[in-house]
Amino acid sequence: MLPVPRADLVPNTWDYEITPLVKATGFREYDARWLFGPEINLLGIQALGLGLGTLIHEMGQKRIVVGHDYRSYSLSIKQALTIGLVAAGCEVLDIGLAVSPMAYFAQFDLDAPCVAMVTASHNENGWTGVKMGAQRPLTFGPDEMGRLKELVLGGKWEQRPGGSVAHIAGVAERYIADAASRVTLKRPLTVVAACGNGTAGAFAPQALLKMGVATLIEMDCELDWTFPKYNPNPEDSVMLHAMAEMVRSTGADLALGFDGDGDRCGVVDDEGEEIFADKIGLMLARDLSYLHKDATFVVDVKSTGLFATDEVLKANGAKTVYWKTGHSYIKRKTAELGALAGFEKSGHFFMNPPIGRGYDDGLVAAAAILAMLDRNPGKKLSDLKKALPVAYTSLTMSPHCADEVKYGVVDSVVAEYTALRDAGGTILGRKIVDLITVNGVRVALEDGSWVLVRASSNKPEVVVVVESTQSEDDMRRLFHEEVKPRLAKRPEVGKYNQEI
């Protein structure tokens, strides 16, 4: 029997080679992520497989899809996870190298209720993790992750006979064909496909060509797990700026950028301007609301306030619900409400039937964006963007804050803003009219501007977003004169990954 995991092991020791290392901080709100080596070892991954296998048996399942992203260590991690799943009596269907939405697609394609996708998503090299689910198209939330943590850290897994593993061919081809079937372009478009040398490079170019893209410009689509230029993260300014430069130099109609595991899509328009995913979401919601009257949309608390005030959505009977940030939360809420689509500012888009199957897929999102352009043949993407009401939204900014303390820090900020509101206080001269506290705190001001502070669900960070209805300068003031000084009073809050 595999020993109970420990959290105090260090590499290059006897104990590290014979005992699972699993640090508790790797169990996040809706998936699992660790630094491979110092926070989890291969025996720890095996223990994770045993715990996951035990959990899905508790849920009445045993058939599970597994795949892995393109990192130097991901195949080894998937194999260790598979050993644990098989030992727990699971029927493992290994689809090989994959993006996360390909693994979700395989749940439908192979009639498997469960999934375990080995990926660190857009995290830097050194990180690994697993995205898991047992009720397609949903992935785990806090309840399932809490039970999994209990099973793994306590060594409470149960070994069962009857486990097996099969290597399944052909899923990639069927996934690409399925994604490509979402649109057949009549309009000749020149599109930049930016993959940051991540896993999506193996799938996105072929799918976009099958959608009918007239001229495809591949940008860093060769697989290279060293990520020689930048991390494949279309929410990061470095990748967005590179995409913008490529559009300006080639005269492309738009650039579509995909993250490391292909479940997110970032966009740059024909003028070389980055369009944040929440604004793309609003453009899509407007377009779809003409086709599907009285539709419901779900957006995360990092997203623009324009969804709540947009006149086009109102005229078409559309309703918008703001919910917790996180792919699992938005996916679940979109399914629960029967919403047509869910949008997350990080670039996760969830399209329910008839547009998609409800899971986040960068290629399905790309198809929806291309279909929107096809339905508006006389307009460029920049024209559709300029038709939106004006709001000045910041980048997503993330100061370092240790996993062990970040939630406490955010709780103290929530309490501070609540007290400020209750005392009739103001922010840059404006009254606080609402606090949304489903996920940290979103402080809405009387002119429609807002600031957000929340804990990152998958990294040791606090997340900050601000939006102004007045000007870009006012947006910067909301950060530099309001949120940044408030967080700076807390010594646990460190350096920002990027700032406006």
Side-chain angles (χ1 to χ4, degrees):
M1 181 70 79
L2 199 65
V4 174
R6 288 168 51 183
D8 60 345
L9 304 177
V10 293
N12 198 19
T13 61
W14 170 267
D15 285 344
Y16 189 90
E17 289 298 305
I18 63 169
T19 309
L21 166 68
V22 184
K23 294 214 171 174
T25 50
F27 294 93
R28 311 291 169 134
E29 292 178 42
Y30 46 79
D31 58 22
R33 296 192 198 186
W34 292 269
L35 280 167
F36 180 49
E39 296 182 353
I40 197 165
N41 60 7
L42 287 174
L43 289 175
I45 296 288
Q46 190 174 327
L48 179 68
L50 276 160
L52 176 59
T54 300
L55 175 58
I56 66 173
H57 272 285
E58 288 181 356
M59 300 169 81
Q61 308 293 348
K62 64 177 285 189
R63 190 171 163 90
I64 184 167
V65 170
V66 301
H68 72 282
D69 68 4
Y70 194 77
R71 307 230 180 193
S72 61
Y73 42 82
S74 291
L75 177 57
S76 301
I77 287 167
K78 183 183 72 176
Q79 289 171 330
L81 184 76
T82 298
I83 290 170
L85 288 166
V86 170
C90 293
E91 181 185 348
V92 177
L93 306 173
D94 187 344
I95 61 171
L97 185 65
V99 285
S100 292
M102 179 176 142
Y104 305 149
F105 165 78
Q107 290 178 267
F108 293 86
D109 185 55
L110 304 176
D111 192 23
C114 306
V115 66
M117 176 65 195
V118 171
T119 177
S121 187
H122 63 278
N123 284 26
E124 297 82 1
N125 264 329
W127 286 90
T128 191
V130 187
K131 292 181 177 178
M132 297 161 277
Q135 185 187 356
R136 64 190 179 204
L138 305 182
T139 40
F140 283 174
D143 291 345
E144 295 92 344
M145 289 306 299
R147 177 59 178 154
L148 180 63
K149 180 178 179 180
E150 179 186 338
L151 288 168
V152 174
L153 296 184
K156 296 176 181 176
W157 52 75
E158 186 177 334
Q159 293 196 197
R160 287 180 171 86
S164 64
V165 58
H167 294 271
I168 311 296
V171 177
E173 292 78 8
R174 294 193 294 276
Y175 164 67
I176 289 170
D178 181 78
S181 72
R182 306 288 166 179
V183 61
T184 303
L185 288 170
K186 298 178 285 296
R187 178 178 178 179
L189 292 171
T190 298
V191 178
V192 174
C195 296
N197 302 112
T199 322
F203 306 95
Q206 192 178 342
L208 291 170
L209 287 171
K210 281 180 176 287
M211 290 177 195
V213 168
T215 304
L216 185 72
I217 300 168
E218 295 190 19
M219 179 179 169
D220 305 321
C221 292
E222 309 81 15
L223 298 185
D224 186 339
W225 59 42
T226 67
F227 304 144
K229 295 186 178 175
Y230 42 75
N231 220 39
N233 179 6
E235 194 182 17
D236 197 334
S237 59
V238 181
M239 184 170 180
L240 284 168
H241 290 165
M243 290 162 59
E245 181 54 40
M246 183 63 81
V247 168
R248 285 192 288 265
S249 65
T250 60
D253 293 295
L254 73 160
L256 298 168
F258 303 94
D259 74 334
D261 69 328
D263 58 7
R264 293 191 296 134
C265 183
V267 183
V268 169
D269 71 13
D270 51 282
E271 295 181 345
E273 293 294 322
E274 305 136 21
I275 310 179
F276 293 131
D278 56 341
K279 303 287 175 62
I280 282 287
L282 180 55
M283 290 157 67
L284 286 171
R286 281 181 153 202
D287 180 61
L288 293 169
S289 70
Y290 286 110
L291 302 173
H292 306 272
K293 298 293 184 183
D294 304 320
T296 296
F297 299 100
V298 178
V299 298
D300 77 315
V301 292
K302 292 191 331 188
S303 292
T304 178
L306 295 174
F307 279 97
T309 58
D310 188 69
E311 294 300 329
V312 172
L313 294 184
K314 284 180 183 175
N316 291 331
K319 177 179 136 188
T320 301
V321 174
Y322 284 87
W323 195 240
K324 299 177 185 179
T325 290
H327 63 83
S328 182
Y329 295 128
I330 301 297
K331 193 182 311 185
R332 195 170 289 255
K333 197 68 173 177
T334 303
E336 177 191 315
L337 297 178
L340 182 63
F343 306 110
E344 196 181 10
K345 190 170 190 286
S346 61
H348 290 275
F349 298 116
F350 310 88
M351 306 296 187
N352 269 339
I355 311 162
R357 288 192 178 87
Y359 53 77
D360 38 344
D361 186 335
L363 287 177
V364 171
I369 294 162
L370 295 174
M372 175 176 67
L373 283 170
D374 214 45
R375 283 191 285 270
N376 293 273
K379 294 180 180 176
K380 299 175 181 177
L381 190 58
S382 58
D383 296 329
L384 296 176
K385 181 185 73 175
K386 289 168 186 173
L388 298 178
V390 176
Y392 304 88
T393 314
S394 73
L395 296 163
T396 299
M397 299 169 284
S398 301
H400 183 271
C401 191
D403 285 318
E404 295 84 352
V405 300
K406 65 187 182 185
Y407 292 103
V409 166
V410 170
D411 286 344
S412 73
V413 174
V414 174
E416 207 168 278
Y417 276 124
T418 302
L420 183 65
R421 178 200 61 185
D422 294 347
T426 61
I427 290 176
L428 300 189
R430 281 158 277 185
K431 288 180 184 175
I432 298 171
V433 295
D434 191 24
L435 296 180
I436 298 175
T437 56
V438 293
N439 187 203
V441 61
R442 177 166 162 147
V443 186
L445 308 180
E446 59 185 324
D447 67 342
S449 303
W450 53 270
V451 304
L452 170 77
V453 179
R454 57 176 288 273
S456 170
S457 301
N458 49 39
K459 293 178 87 172
E461 294 174 345
V462 170
V463 176
V464 175
V465 183
V466 300
E467 181 174 89
S468 170
T469 58
Q470 296 185 13
S471 67
E472 190 159 328
D473 283 344
D474 184 62
M475 179 259 285
R476 294 175 188 280
R477 287 180 62 216
L478 286 169
F479 174 63
H480 287 286
E481 297 178 27
E482 167 55 36
V483 184
K484 190 178 180 184
R486 196 175 291 277
L487 288 175
K489 294 186 295 185
R490 295 163 166 83
E492 305 96 331
V493 178
K495 185 179 177 184
Y496 286 74
N497 67 332
Q498 58 185 0
E499 293 187 27
I500 50 172

